[in-house]
Amino acid sequence: MALNGGIRGGRKLRRGVTGTAIAAATMAALTASQAPGTEMAHGAETGKERADDVQPDRTPGDDSYHTELPPLESPAPPRSSPDKPSDSGIPATLLAAYKNAVRSVNASDPACGLRWELLAAIGKVESGQARGGAVDKDGTTLRPILGPVLNGSGFARIHDTDRGRFDGDRRFDRAVGPMQFIPSTWARWGTDGNGDGSRDPDNIHDAALAAAGYLCAGERDLTSKAGLNRSILSYNHSQDYLRTVLAWYEFYRNGTHKVPDGSGVLPTSPGAGGTADAGKGKGNGKENGEGSHDGPGSHKPGKPGKPGNDDGGGDSPAPDPETPTALKPVLAGELSAYTGENFDDRARVRAVNSSGKAVEGVRIEYTIKGDTGARFAGGSREATATTAADGLSTAPLIDAGEREGSFTVTAKAEGLGLRAAKMEATVEPKYTFARTPGGPLKAPVNSKFTGIKIDLAHEKEAAGGVPVTATMIGKDGEENTEGPFFKDLFGNEDRSVTKSTGILGAAGVLELPAVHTDGSAGTFTLRLATEDGSTFDIELTVTK
């Protein structure tokens, strides 16, 4: 596929170059549903910004996307029909565009490790795979796929940047096309993915290649968990969005099949390309004169994620007054956090009635169960929250505590006999330890252990300047009163010392002082601990 200058030719062109503060501030305003738009320019000659140098735009309401999650069962074997299409089916033209885009980007940037299933997952949540594959033989959508009007009403406020060329609106911008680029973003990222000499955000070949280049920008390594997460979050800085995309990514990696264009599954949640806008005609952007969608009778977006117009916004209908019959967790996977930190995501459930409609005003009791130090704000294991108009109830923030392990958050409807919803959660050590060199540590009585070094890392990166306390402990976990010891400045016995890991040349390396032995033989434990609660035990064997 012809790149037409759209993707830079390898990491050497990007290495060591950062964006200016002015460029970062400018690009921070260029996302709609946090659609791509904060990093690398589309021309190879303008490569002076790295994706991770630019802060994401956090304007309220800029997370419009489809929230359906894949089914729990395996996507294979595919048994689909026009009346019941399979969720694992991807329209033929889109599938080819995703694969071709990834081949092109990985050929010029093999270290990125992008997979086509990630493009497919993003295409699914952004536009329902271009409205179920409603594209012509060239891959151009049969009708425009438009995001909400970015007029500041529930979403970001971005004034028109393309004079209505792509989105038909001369007052405000709107995200366009199957991968939901806003015009100002497309001006920087647009690519010619099919070699026809034009860059069209409504063409899946062009849009898929642009999205692929965006996801790989900034020397990202998508083969690592951290790199993959950062890449997805750069598209939409939302943990819920991250979980939704990752759910579809994993689902597609477990098996997909090709279906005819136009026969893909349409999302029912609000958003561009879903069932809500499937029957609307081609807009010319002139409902209110001069391309404005912001006057009387217009489709003004309301809060995202609620039923409404085709733009993913609008006022929600009144919730069904019936009694709720079920609580459904609103998570694509486990809650997770590092020791000593707060969980980024919050436990959430949706109350629905027998028709599947949201029920407002249901009081939900959340309880943390398990042997863990995790607590809600204020140190309690219990908290309550009431469902809103969209049926959602969100628990308070959870502090992970200083102990690694797993626990369960249960949600019950107060005063109702509904089955409790359960959400699994995991607390992982923030830091990982590695002793160099490895192997047993032995020393005779009345001598000493020397040269003990520890490498400390966080998410595979060296953790410099981290205070670590080293303590000789007994079987009860308390500080030992005999056996190996350190010496303080005055030569006195000290069985606990605190040192910090190196910052510069020895970044992340902890060098322990000599550990002296007395006349006691046996096996002793030296425990290393950071302030967040990450621990590492070293066995010291003292021989006669």
Side-chain angles (χ1 to χ4, degrees):
M1 288 295 174
L3 299 187
N4 196 29
I7 304 299
R8 251 188 293 254
R11 291 190 181 276
K12 290 184 179 180
L13 295 179
R14 296 202 303 253
R15 192 176 304 280
V17 184
T18 59
T20 65
I22 295 176
T26 301
M27 290 308 294
L30 297 183
T31 55
S33 62
Q34 283 293 344
T38 59
E39 303 168 10
M40 183 179 70
H42 63 75
E45 70 280 9
T46 57
K48 293 193 177 183
E49 286 121 24
R50 283 183 49 189
D52 295 334
D53 292 334
V54 184
Q55 295 300 314
D57 175 42
R58 298 177 183 271
T59 306
D62 55 355
D63 57 346
S64 174
Y65 58 91
H66 292 292
T67 57
E68 283 92 343
L69 296 175
L72 296 177
E73 67 269 21
S74 169
R79 294 182 179 180
S80 61
S81 67
D83 296 328
K84 190 177 180 181
S86 168
D87 284 284
S88 60
I90 298 177
T93 298
L94 276 78
L95 184 60
Y98 296 146
K99 292 183 176 181
N100 288 336
V102 168
R103 276 196 292 266
S104 295
V105 170
N106 285 342
S108 61
D109 193 0
C112 174
L114 175 66
R115 295 179 63 106
W116 68 262
E117 292 92 342
L118 180 58
L119 287 181
I122 290 175
K124 176 68 174 180
V125 301
E126 291 290 345
S127 70
Q129 305 293 20
R131 202 179 278 121
V135 297
D136 63 19
K137 61 182 180 62
D138 298 317
T140 302
T141 58
L142 301 179
R143 292 181 290 104
I145 299 177
L146 299 174
V149 180
L150 299 178
N151 59 7
S153 178
F155 292 88
R157 185 179 182 88
I158 302 178
H159 289 282
D160 174 61
T161 60
D162 68 330
R163 303 188 68 181
R165 176 188 173 192
F166 293 120
D167 58 7
D169 193 324
R170 295 188 181 182
R171 292 191 62 192
F172 299 100
D173 271 350
R174 305 176 73 174
V176 295
M179 304 304 282
Q180 287 291 276
F181 283 83
I182 61 172
S184 52
T185 300
W186 187 254
R188 296 180 61 85
W189 286 87
T191 58
D192 179 12
N194 55 6
D196 65 356
S198 66
R199 296 183 293 117
D200 182 2
D202 291 317
N203 182 278
I204 185 56
H205 299 288
D206 295 356
L209 184 58
Y214 178 89
L215 292 167
C216 281
E219 298 186 21
R220 290 195 180 108
D221 176 8
L222 273 63
T223 62
S224 71
K225 178 181 177 181
L228 177 65
N229 289 355
R230 280 196 295 268
S231 183
I232 297 171
L233 287 170
S234 74
Y235 215 97
N236 183 330
H237 204 275
S238 158
Q239 290 294 324
D240 286 342
Y241 181 86
L242 172 65
R243 290 184 180 278
T244 304
V245 170
L246 286 176
W248 283 105
Y249 177 57
E250 188 63 26
F251 181 78
Y252 286 146
R253 287 187 64 178
N254 287 332
T256 61
H257 63 285
K258 180 170 60 177
V259 298
D261 291 342
S263 65
V265 177
L266 289 181
T268 57
S269 62
T275 55
D277 72 347
K280 295 184 180 294
K282 183 174 182 178
N284 59 10
K286 296 183 179 181
E287 288 91 332
N288 301 303
E290 236 8 69
S292 170
H293 290 256
D294 195 30
S298 69
H299 301 296
K300 291 181 67 175
K303 294 182 179 180
K306 296 183 180 181
N309 59 50
D310 57 311
D311 296 326
D315 295 329
S316 298
D320 195 288
E322 297 179 20
T323 300
T325 58
L327 296 179
K328 297 183 178 181
V330 187
L331 284 175
E334 284 191 349
L335 293 161
S336 64
Y338 291 115
T339 52
E341 296 186 355
N342 291 326
F343 282 80
D344 288 334
D345 293 332
R346 302 191 186 197
R348 294 196 299 166
V349 295
R350 175 178 276 111
V352 297
N353 61 17
S354 57
S355 301
K357 294 183 179 180
V359 180
E360 183 179 12
V362 182
R363 189 172 176 84
I364 306 298
E365 300 173 341
Y366 293 94
T367 304
I368 295 174
K369 294 186 176 181
D371 183 17
T372 177
R375 298 289 187 272
F376 291 113
S380 174
R381 285 179 176 265
E382 299 179 349
T384 59
T386 303
T387 61
D390 56 3
L392 281 177
S393 166
T394 302
L397 199 67
I398 298 177
D399 179 355
E402 297 182 358
R403 271 188 293 157
E404 61 180 289
S406 300
F407 62 94
T408 301
V409 180
T410 62
K412 294 183 179 180
E414 190 176 83
L416 300 173
L418 302 183
R419 182 177 180 178
K422 296 183 179 181
M423 291 147 281
E424 301 302 319
T426 301
V427 179
E428 300 177 359
K430 183 175 181 178
Y431 298 106
T432 56
F433 301 77
R435 182 170 62 84
T436 55
L441 289 176
K442 295 183 179 181
V445 295
N446 300 315
S447 64
K448 59 185 175 181
F449 295 88
T450 60
I452 301 177
K453 293 184 179 181
I454 306 295
D455 291 321
L456 194 67
H458 174 56
E459 293 186 345
K460 298 183 179 181
E461 299 290 337
V466 177
V468 180
T469 299
T471 305
M472 299 302 309
I473 63 169
K475 293 181 180 180
D476 57 0
E478 299 297 324
E479 184 176 321
N480 215 343
T481 57
E482 61 179 16
F485 59 90
F486 300 103
K487 286 186 178 181
D488 63 17
L489 294 176
F490 304 100
N492 300 316
E493 292 186 6
D494 191 349
R495 287 181 169 79
S496 183
V497 298
T498 299
K499 290 180 63 67
S500 293
T501 55
I503 297 177
L504 300 176
V509 177
L510 177 71
E511 297 187 24
L512 293 177
V515 181
H516 300 265
T517 62
D518 56 13
S520 302
T523 300
F524 302 87
T525 300
L526 174 62
R527 174 164 295 170
L528 307 183
T530 57
E531 293 178 351
D532 63 277
S534 301
T535 61
F536 182 67
D537 288 350
I538 301 174
E539 281 195 355
L540 303 177
T541 301
V542 181
T543 60
K544 287 288 189 182

